[in-house]
C-alpha cells in the first residue's frame, strides 16, 4: 500500500493539472497502476500530454473522446495507442465544436429548445457517434419544415438518441427524442407535453436546490472536508442520504472526504465512498 501511495504521489507531481476519474469501481492497486502508466508515458514523451490540457481524463474500457468532450483512456490499451489518441485530440476538439453548432441549429428549428447531452446516461458515447447523430437529425429537420413558433420552447431541454424508439419525457423534465422521429410526431409530442416538462423541470430545480443546502449543512455540522456524489446518484437519492448523515451524527466521519456512490470503497486519494442508501 505504501508503494501505491508513493506511485500515485509521483504521478500527481508530474501531471497535477489533469482532472481524472474512473468509469468503474476499480481497486486502489489497479487505479494506481493506470496513473503510473500515464505518468510513464509523460516521462517518455513530455509533449504527448500538451493536447490534453483543459480536458478531463476518464479511465474506462475504450479510448477516444466522449460526447461531453472528456478524453477516454482504455485501460487495456498500450502506451502508443494513448499517444496516438493525444495526437488526434485537436481533430476531436474540432468535432466537438461542430457538434455545438449543430445543437444550436437544431434549437433554432425547434422553437428554442436546448439540445443537451447527459453524460451519466451515455458515458461512453463517442464524439464521432454524437456528431453523426446530430448531423443526420438536423438534415432531417431542415428537409421537412416543422412549424414551431420562435422561442416558444425556450427553457425546455431535449436529448437525442440514435434509435427508432418513440419520443418520451424523462422524469427530470427533458425530452428524449429518437433521431429517426418523424417531424410531425415530434411536433405533436413536444407541444402536447411541454407544460408537464416545465412542471418536472421546476421540481428538478427545487430538488437540486434542496440537495445543495443539505450538502452545505452536512459539511458544516459534521466537520467534513468534502462531501460530493458520483454523477449516477440522483438528487432524490442524495437528499435522504444527507438527512440520514445528519440524523446519525456519525463521529467517525469528522474531517473525512465522503463520496456518495452506490457501493462502499476507498478511492486512491483516500476519499471514502458510501452507498446513498448506506446502513448504520
Amino acid at each position: 500500500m505504501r508503494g501505491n501511495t508513493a506511485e500515485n504521489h509521483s504521478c500527481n507531481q508530474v501531471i497535477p493539472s489533469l482532472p481524472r476519474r474512473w468509469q468503474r469501481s476499480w481497486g486502489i492497486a489497479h487505479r494506481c497502476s493506470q496513473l503510473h502508466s500515464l505518468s510513464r508515458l509523460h516521462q517518455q514523451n513530455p509533449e504527448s500530454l500538451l493536447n490534453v490540457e483543459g480536458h478531463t481524463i476518464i479511465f474506462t474500457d475504450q479510448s477516444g473522446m466522449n460526447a461531453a468532450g472528456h478524453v477516454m483512456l482504455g485501460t487495456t490499451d498500450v502506451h502508443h495507442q494513448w499517444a496516438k489518441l493525444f495526437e488526434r485530440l485537436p481533430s476531436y476538439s474540432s468535432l466537438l465544436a461542430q457538434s455545438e453548432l449543430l445543437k444550436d441549429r437544431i434549437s433554432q428549428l425547434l422553437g428554442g429548445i436546448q439540445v443537451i447531452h447527459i453524460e451519466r446516461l451515455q458515458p461512453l458515447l463517442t464524439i464521432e457517434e454524437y456528431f453523426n447523430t446530430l448531423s443526420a437529425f438536423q438534415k432531417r429537420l431542415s428537409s421537412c419544415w416543422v412549424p414551431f413558433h420562435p422561442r416558444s420552447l425556450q427553457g425546455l431541454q431535449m436529448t437525442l438518441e440514435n434509435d427508432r424508439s418513440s419520443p418520451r419525457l424523462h422524469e427530470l423534465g427533458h425530452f428524449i427524442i429518437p433521431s429517426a422521429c418523424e417531424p410531425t410526431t415530434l411536433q405533436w409530442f413536444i407541444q402536447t407535453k411541454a407544460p408537464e416538462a416545465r412542471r418536472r423541470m421546476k421540481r428538478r430545480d427545487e430538488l437540486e436546490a434542496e440537495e445543495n443546502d443539505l450538502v452545505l449543512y452536512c459539511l458544516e455540522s459534521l466537520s467534513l472536508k468534502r462531501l460530493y456524489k458520483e454523477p449516477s446518484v440522483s438528487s432524490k437519492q442524495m437528499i435522504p442520504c444527507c438527512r440520514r448523515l445528519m440524523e446519525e451524527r456519525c463521529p467517525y466521519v469528522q474531517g473525512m472526504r465522503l463520496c456518495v456512490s452506490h457501493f462502499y470503497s476507498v478511492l486512491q486519494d483516500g476519499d471514502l465512498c458510501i452507498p446513498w442508501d448506506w446502513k448504520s
Side-chain angles (χ1 to χ4, degrees):
M1 185 64 157
R2 189 173 300 168
N4 287 338
T5 302
E7 195 172 80
N8 188 29
H9 178 68
S10 173
C11 186
N12 284 333
Q13 285 184 319
V14 174
I15 46 175
S17 61
L18 293 179
R20 47 196 179 267
R21 65 176 193 257
W22 284 260
Q23 190 63 38
R24 291 188 182 185
S25 55
W26 282 298
I28 294 176
H30 195 175
R31 294 188 181 203
C32 286
S33 175
Q34 293 157 7
L35 287 174
H36 184 67
S37 294
L38 185 60
S39 176
R40 192 162 62 249
L41 173 61
H42 180 270
Q43 291 168 355
Q44 294 171 353
N45 184 7
E47 296 183 355
S48 62
L49 289 179
L50 291 178
N51 291 333
V52 191
E53 291 185 7
H55 294 283
T56 294
I57 287 180
I58 303 177
F59 293 97
T60 183
D61 295 326
Q62 65 187 70
S63 293
M65 178 180 283
N66 71 6
H70 301 323
V71 178
M72 300 185 294
L73 296 183
T75 58
T76 59
D77 292 341
V78 293
H79 285 177
H80 78 272
Q81 291 172 306
W82 287 4
K84 286 183 178 179
L85 167 63
F86 296 155
E87 291 175 1
R88 293 197 302 268
L89 283 183
S91 63
Y92 282 133
S93 296
S94 174
L95 208 55
L96 182 66
Q98 293 176 58
S99 297
E100 292 301 317
L101 290 176
L102 284 172
K103 287 158 71 172
D104 289 341
R105 291 172 189 165
I106 293 170
S107 176
Q108 293 170 8
L109 291 169
L110 295 181
I113 192 170
Q114 182 186 14
V115 184
I116 62 171
H117 169 68
I118 302 177
E119 186 187 1
R120 66 181 176 84
L121 300 180
Q122 296 176 298
L124 299 183
L125 178 66
T126 66
I127 189 58
E128 300 101 319
E129 294 169 330
Y130 193 47
F131 173 82
N132 290 335
T133 299
L134 288 168
S135 179
F137 187 69
Q138 189 264 336
K139 289 176 182 177
R140 190 181 187 89
L141 288 177
S142 298
S143 65
C144 181
W145 182 65
V146 184
F148 282 104
H149 190 277
R151 296 185 296 279
S152 61
L153 300 179
Q154 212 160 28
L156 296 178
Q157 296 176 328
M158 62 167 275
T159 62
L160 197 59
E161 294 192 349
N162 189 22
D163 60 30
R164 295 183 175 275
S165 61
S166 300
R168 53 200 187 277
L169 181 61
H170 194 274
E171 65 172 346
L172 296 180
H174 63 269
F175 291 96
I176 303 173
I177 306 300
S179 58
C181 185
E182 289 294 331
T184 52
T185 301
L186 175 66
Q187 179 191 13
W188 174 84
F189 184 80
I190 291 181
Q191 289 180 335
T192 302
K193 299 291 184 180
E196 176 63 15
R198 294 188 189 279
R199 186 192 70 79
R200 294 187 185 186
M201 289 184 69
K202 181 181 178 183
R203 178 56 180 158
R204 178 199 68 188
D205 293 343
E206 292 171 348
L207 287 173
E208 289 179 351
E210 182 180 359
E211 174 190 338
N212 292 335
D213 289 343
L214 284 170
V215 168
L216 290 175
Y217 189 78
C218 280
L219 283 168
E220 183 177 347
S221 62
L222 300 177
S223 300
L224 295 170
K225 283 187 176 179
R226 189 184 179 196
L227 176 60
Y228 62 103
K229 68 177 184 178
E230 289 194 339
S232 58
V233 177
S234 68
S235 294
K236 284 186 176 180
Q237 294 169 327
M238 186 68 169
I239 288 172
C241 176
C242 290
R243 286 176 176 163
R244 288 194 58 222
L245 283 172
M246 291 189 297
E247 291 170 0
E248 297 286 341
R249 295 281 177 177
C250 306
Y252 55 83
V253 300
Q254 185 174 353
M256 296 188 68
R257 298 188 299 270
L258 286 184
C259 172
V260 178
S261 177
H262 297 277
F263 48 81
Y264 290 102
S265 70
V266 179
L267 301 183
Q268 88 284 349
D269 52 5
D271 290 13
L272 176 65
C273 282
I274 61 171
W276 67 271
D277 56 348
W278 58 276
K279 309 298 180 184
S280 57

